[in-house]
Amino acid sequence: MSNPELKEDLPRVIEELEAKCKEVPDSIMAHHHLALVYRKAGRHDDAIKELKKCIKIDDHSMEAYINLGAIYFELGRLDDALEANKKALLYTVKPAQAHANIGLIMQQKGENDKAIDSYTKATHHDPKLAIAWINLASAHITAGNFDEALAAAKKGVEVEPDFPMAHNNLAVALFYAKDYQKAKTELGKARELGYPVDPRFIETIENEL
């Protein structure tokens, strides 16, 4: 289904899910699905209300906290996003995503050391979580830890070789490692995979070759 079709279909899907929630008001799954569709429709306040209903039904609902945190992050409500992800950590045996989310929040708040710590925890809990490696590389670059950045960026590409951002961040790490030819190659891969490569970065690499 194409995106235009999906958008046209959202009102019908919402109507059906709203009816389902009225039919089974204690169903976490029904409220959760409705929240996700509200989010897709840009109805963030309604999505938050539905996720809070999930939590009221079961205050150990990790998925509800994760998605609530994601919406708060999108709205720029970083403290609320942080609190939601910390709640998720209390109620999950798979904490990698919550740690990765907290890392991103810490980066946005300018607390880079805490971001590195959170991303590192995420990679320990799930070594195959590519976004944690990719963002860890970015945080290490910000900190000037270029060897660590390169190692993390390489791991991100290894875990998910078709992830455009992984190749872009590896290109950045390679640039700081002064391996300009490989940086150019990785940037080309990122662009081929659809990443919006910064033309100024391309020019900077070209000037070093």
Side-chain angles (χ1 to χ4, degrees):
M1 181 182 291
S2 68
N3 286 335
E5 289 172 340
L6 183 61
K7 288 180 180 178
E8 289 175 6
D9 208 37
L10 279 177
R12 179 186 63 79
V13 175
I14 288 171
E15 185 177 348
E16 290 176 355
L17 287 171
E18 286 175 341
K20 186 68 175 179
C21 287
K22 288 181 180 179
E23 180 185 342
V24 282
D26 292 331
S27 170
I28 290 179
M29 185 176 295
H31 288 292
H32 197 216
H33 286 172
L34 179 56
L36 296 181
V37 178
Y38 275 149
R39 181 185 178 189
K40 191 181 294 291
R43 294 172 58 176
H44 294 105
D45 288 343
D46 289 327
I48 289 170
K49 288 177 183 177
E50 291 303 315
L51 290 170
K52 286 184 175 180
K53 287 178 184 178
C54 293
I55 292 166
K56 186 175 182 180
I57 295 167
D58 179 6
D59 64 2
H60 289 193
S61 180
M62 181 272 293
E63 288 293 336
Y65 284 116
I66 287 287
N67 284 300
L68 186 60
I71 293 172
Y72 283 143
F73 185 82
E74 289 172 4
L75 297 175
R77 295 169 58 176
L78 298 183
D79 289 337
D80 290 330
L82 180 60
E83 182 63 27
N85 279 284
K86 284 182 175 179
K87 286 280 189 179
L89 285 177
L90 296 175
Y91 307 123
T92 180
V93 294
K94 297 180 179 180
Q97 188 61 61
H99 281 302
N101 292 347
I102 290 171
L104 191 58
I105 293 165
M106 290 299 105
Q107 272 191 295
Q108 288 292 312
K109 290 168 75 71
E111 298 185 39
N112 202 58
D113 289 345
K114 290 182 179 179
I116 289 172
D117 180 63
S118 292
Y119 290 138
T120 301
K121 288 177 180 175
T123 62
H124 286 166
H125 285 288
D126 184 0
K128 293 186 178 181
L129 186 60
I131 193 64
W133 289 111
I134 292 165
N135 287 338
L136 178 58
S138 174
H140 274 309
I141 288 168
T142 299
N145 305 327
F146 300 129
D147 290 342
E148 292 87 344
L150 184 57
K154 285 181 176 178
K155 191 67 177 179
V157 169
E158 176 189 324
V159 169
E160 199 160 338
D162 292 330
F163 199 152
M165 189 190 296
H167 290 281
N168 181 79
N169 284 16
L170 178 53
V172 176
L174 286 164
F175 175 82
Y176 282 106
K178 302 187 186 303
D179 196 338
Y180 304 121
Q181 188 58 57
K182 285 186 179 179
K184 181 180 178 180
T185 299
E186 289 301 324
L187 208 58
K189 291 178 182 178
R191 185 163 49 183
E192 287 173 10
L193 290 167
Y195 192 84
V197 172
D198 188 338
R200 294 171 298 179
F201 186 33
I202 298 173
E203 183 178 353
T204 300
I205 291 175
E206 292 287 356
N207 290 337
E208 295 290 347
L209 292 173

